[in-house]
């Protein structure tokens, strides 16, 4: 990280006038009150969540949204990435909750009135319990249920929202839920690996089909023409020892498996190996921009004892600064991630997540400045970047870490749900307001 004194010597940079300055959340992490999700069940068993907490309370954003959106408005943020949890709208098969839909419409309408542009995530890890019990993403025959949920949400809200993320981070989901066993359904080993691959294959099919479906609904209902993508978590994968052919080879494998497998498949409209045998499922281009979630870098080495992880071992650069979760803080990686994504897919980019878990808010401010500079560097080099959504608007339920990883621009007191914008939020607000840094 660059020290405060040296910062004043750095030249000012200017972002485009129409740049989207946003923040991001996910429904399960902030909304609270949803007892029909697989995550609600998962939290019940002690030991699974670091502080043995539950997502059932979270930030009660579902009821505090007006207050939260007012903070965004006051802070001059013009975009918000928010989520809809399927389990909230369909607690049991066959029955959709129109009251919940009305409430959600109220949220979107409130954003519209405040001129905050919503980017709606339709699936952010969480599943309805009944669908998870049927095998969730691992069964292609289950996808019809997902499409019905898509119809319900998009037909019900498409007059208020026209930008979508279909699925958040299929790569992280498959890794943590099926290969590392730390998220529901908690699988690992070789069986988990196979299920993870099945899930990822079906998510490619679901994304491509959902892309067409959303477009069809918007056209049929005469809603504004939509823009659709996925949010892909990209981690820089560097070899631990760049002189070791095995480490270099595994770093390339990690880069392909984690960063590119899903997006290559979507881009080509094919079930590329190892997701399938190259079967065509779409005419390609089933995305209108590239949503990149960027946080950190992994150092990769060959490891004989992790065959189910393709002999890949991840570690952290010991010389670099890290966040509270031990993730290396590596701003240059954002330039690298954006450049390589653009070289490969030639799509406009949005940073749909980027942030730091820290209890020291000065670190958050520095993180924001350093990453925005790194992003701007990619723009100077020719990448069309449409916007940046900081993760996260407020402290929230950080999955298996519970409430122990403060990622928020806004501090949340989880005892009384009081919000307090941090200094980093004031800094971000200044940047958003002036478009300069
Ligand atoms: C991303 C997830 C998001 C949050 C951040 C810290 O991988 O999409 O929900 O957990 O990490």
């Amino acid at each position: 990280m660059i020290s405060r004194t040296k910062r004043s010597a750095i030249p000012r940079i200017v972002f485009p006038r129409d740049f989207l300055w946003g923040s991001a959340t996910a429904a399960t992490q902030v909304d609270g009150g949803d007892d029909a999700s697989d995550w609600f069940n998962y939290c019940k068993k002690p030991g699974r969540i670091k502080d043995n907490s539950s997502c059932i309370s979270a930030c009660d954003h579902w009821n505090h949204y007006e207050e939260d959106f007012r903070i965004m408005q006051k802070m001059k943020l013009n975009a918000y990435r928010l989520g809809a949890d399927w389990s909230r709208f369909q607690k049991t098969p066959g029955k959709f909750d129109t009251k919940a839909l009305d409430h959600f419409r109220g949220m979107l309408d409130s954003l519209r009135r405040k001129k905050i542009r919503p980017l709606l995530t339709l699936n952010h890890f969480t599943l309805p319990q009944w669908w998870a019990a049927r095998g969730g993403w691992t069964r292609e025959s289950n996808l019809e249920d997902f499409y019905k949920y898509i119809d319900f949400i998009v037909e019900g809200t498409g007059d208020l929202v026209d930008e979508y993320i279909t699925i958040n981070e299929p790569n992280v989901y498959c890794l943590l839920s099926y290969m590392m066993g730390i998220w529901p359904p908690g699988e690992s080993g070789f069986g988990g690996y196979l299920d993870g691959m099945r899930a990822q294959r079906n998510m490619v099919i679901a994304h491509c089909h959902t892309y067409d479906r959303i477009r069809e609904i918007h056209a049929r209902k005469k809603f504004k023409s939509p823009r659709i993508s996925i949010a892909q978590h990209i981690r820089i994968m560097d070899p631990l020892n760049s002189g070791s052919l095995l480490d270099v080879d595994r770093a390339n494998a990690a880069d392909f498996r984690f960063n590119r497998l899903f997006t290559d498949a979507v881009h080509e409209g094919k079930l590329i190996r190892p997701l399938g045998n190259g079967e065509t499922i779409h005419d390609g281009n089933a995305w209108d921009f590239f949503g990149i979630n960027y946080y950190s870098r992994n150092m990769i080495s060959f490891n004989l004892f992790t065959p189910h992880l393709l002999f890949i071992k991840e570690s952290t650069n010991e010389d670099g600064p890290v966040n509270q979760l031990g993730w290396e803080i590596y701003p240059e990686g954002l330039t690298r991630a954006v450049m390589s994504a653009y070289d490969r897919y030639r799509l406009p980019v949005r940073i749909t997540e980027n942030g730091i878990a820290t209890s020291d808010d000065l670190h958050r401010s520095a993180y924001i400045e350093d990453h925005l500079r790194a992003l701007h560097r990619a723009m100077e080099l020719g990448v069309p970047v449409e916007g940046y959504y900081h993760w996260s608007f407020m402290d929230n339920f950080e999955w298996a870490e519970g409430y122990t990883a403060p990622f928020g621009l806004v501090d949340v007191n989880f005892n009384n749900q009081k919000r307090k914008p941090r200094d980093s939020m004031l800094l971000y607000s200044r940047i958003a307001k002036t478009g300069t840094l």
Side-chain angles (χ1 to χ4, degrees), residues 1-69:
M1 245 186 271
I2 311 168
S3 77
R4 290 247 129 216
T5 39
K6 285 196 196 137
R7 268 165 206 286
S8 51
I10 303 174
R12 283 188 91 67
I13 55 173
V14 181
F15 284 85
R17 284 182 87 87
D18 58 353
F19 198 74
L20 293 171
W21 295 104
S23 63
T25 61
T28 300
Q29 293 180 271
V30 294
D31 280 353
D34 177 5
D35 60 2
S37 77
D38 59 344
W39 266 93
F40 172 69
N41 267 356
Y42 193 73
C43 293
K44 283 184 191 158
K45 194 164 166 211
R48 284 176 174 161
I49 310 297
K50 203 179 197 170
D51 52 4
N52 285 322
S53 60
S54 166
C55 56
I56 195 69
S57 47
C59 312
D60 198 20
H61 183 53
W62 188 254
N63 296 308
H64 284 69
Y65 70 84
E66 193 57 45
E67 177 187 348
D68 293 336
F69 296 167

Side-chain angles (χ1 to χ4, degrees), residues 63-352:
N63 296 308
H64 284 69
Y65 70 84
E66 193 57 45
E67 177 187 348
D68 293 336
F69 296 167
R70 249 187 261 128
I71 297 175
M72 292 176 196
Q73 184 183 36
K74 195 167 164 215
M75 294 296 149
K76 306 288 179 211
L77 303 189
N78 60 7
Y80 179 43
R81 177 177 170 221
L82 77 166
D85 265 348
W86 176 8
S87 45
R88 164 88 64 184
F89 298 100
Q90 196 182 10
K91 283 183 191 294
T92 50
K95 199 163 170 279
F96 283 98
D97 185 342
T98 48
K99 261 199 177 152
L101 182 71
D102 286 346
H103 184 98
F104 194 58
R105 284 186 59 82
M107 291 173 77
L108 293 169
D109 191 50
S110 168
L111 287 171
R112 195 176 54 97
R113 279 186 281 109
K114 295 178 179 57
K115 302 201 172 16
I116 301 171
R117 189 149 133 192
L119 172 61
L120 177 58
T121 310
L122 296 163
N123 173 265
H124 198 125
F125 304 146
T126 303
L127 305 177
Q129 285 155 20
W130 61 267
W131 202 65
R134 289 179 182 178
W137 291 112
T138 62
R139 298 234 173 93
E140 191 178 342
S141 56
N142 284 350
L143 297 184
E144 277 307 317
D145 298 321
F146 181 70
Y147 302 144
K148 286 187 190 133
Y149 153 66
I150 295 299
D151 290 351
F152 177 75
I153 284 288
V154 177
E155 288 180 4
T157 62
D159 55 329
L160 298 170
V161 61
D162 48 60
E163 295 188 325
Y164 299 90
I165 295 295
T166 57
I167 301 175
N168 182 70
E169 299 185 347
N171 53 354
V172 170
Y173 174 76
C174 292
L175 188 68
L176 299 194
S177 294
Y178 287 103
M179 298 180 200
M180 297 176 74
I182 56 176
W183 285 4
E187 288 188 31
S188 59
F190 192 61
Y193 171 80
L194 293 179
D195 271 347
M197 280 298 134
R198 281 185 200 110
Q200 195 155 179
R201 169 190 187 275
N202 293 331
M203 287 165 128
V204 172
I205 297 172
H207 166 80
C208 291
H209 186 78
T210 301
Y211 178 87
D212 291 344
R213 207 142 173 143
I214 295 174
R215 298 202 87 79
E216 184 276 316
I217 294 170
H218 271 251
R220 172 163 45 86
K221 302 272 257 173
K222 304 208 170 20
F223 299 153
K224 200 173 153 206
S225 176
R227 296 186 76 231
I228 306 158
S229 186
I230 53 156
Q232 173 79 332
H233 192 120
I234 296 198
R235 285 180 101 85
I236 301 295
M237 303 289 185
D238 279 340
L240 182 64
N241 173 357
S242 51
S244 153
L245 286 181
L246 282 176
D247 286 6
V248 171
D249 175 63
R250 287 304 80 194
N252 287 335
D255 183 45
F256 172 66
R257 288 288 183 136
F258 188 80
N259 291 329
R260 297 206 323 261
L261 176 57
F262 192 88
T263 45
D264 277 7
V266 167
H267 200 64
E268 290 175 32
K270 287 199 170 87
L271 295 174
I272 55 174
R273 280 174 200 276
L275 299 176
N277 290 314
E279 301 90 328
T280 299
I281 50 160
H282 197 272
D283 60 6
N285 303 317
W287 49 346
D288 303 314
F289 60 95
F290 190 178
I292 296 178
N293 297 352
Y294 173 77
Y295 290 88
S296 186
R297 152 165 87 166
N298 287 351
M299 307 309 289
I300 303 296
S301 52
F302 173 82
N303 187 299
L304 201 52
F305 303 105
T306 52
H308 61 293
L309 298 174
L310 306 171
F311 302 100
I312 290 169
K313 182 170 179 232
E314 296 172 359
S315 55
T316 305
N317 174 19
E318 286 176 3
D319 302 327
V322 292
N323 77 4
Q324 218 161 283
L325 297 175
W327 303 354
E328 184 187 358
I329 296 167
Y330 179 57
E332 189 192 326
L334 182 57
T335 319
R336 288 175 64 188
V338 169
M339 295 295 299
S340 75
Y342 188 64
D343 275 354
R344 200 164 180 84
Y345 304 122
R346 294 280 142 185
L347 283 171
V349 166
R350 275 190 207 185
I351 305 306
T352 36

Side-chain angles (χ1 to χ4, degrees), residues 372-428:
L372 286 176
R373 283 186 192 283
L375 182 60
H376 197 265
R377 178 90 194 107
M379 295 165 79
E380 282 166 357
L381 293 169
V383 183
V385 180
E386 300 176 342
Y388 172 89
Y389 299 75
H390 189 79
W391 185 274
S392 178
F393 172 68
M394 58 188 157
D395 292 344
N396 57 47
F397 174 79
E398 177 49 40
W399 309 112
E401 303 293 329
Y403 297 94
T404 67
F407 270 99
L409 293 165
V410 173
D411 167 276
V412 177
N413 177 334
F414 292 104
N415 295 319
N416 58 15
Q417 295 297 355
K418 283 248 174 327
R419 276 73 163 140
K420 191 170 180 294
R422 297 193 160 110
D423 287 349
S424 54
M425 171 60 112
L426 304 181
L427 167 92
Y428 186 48

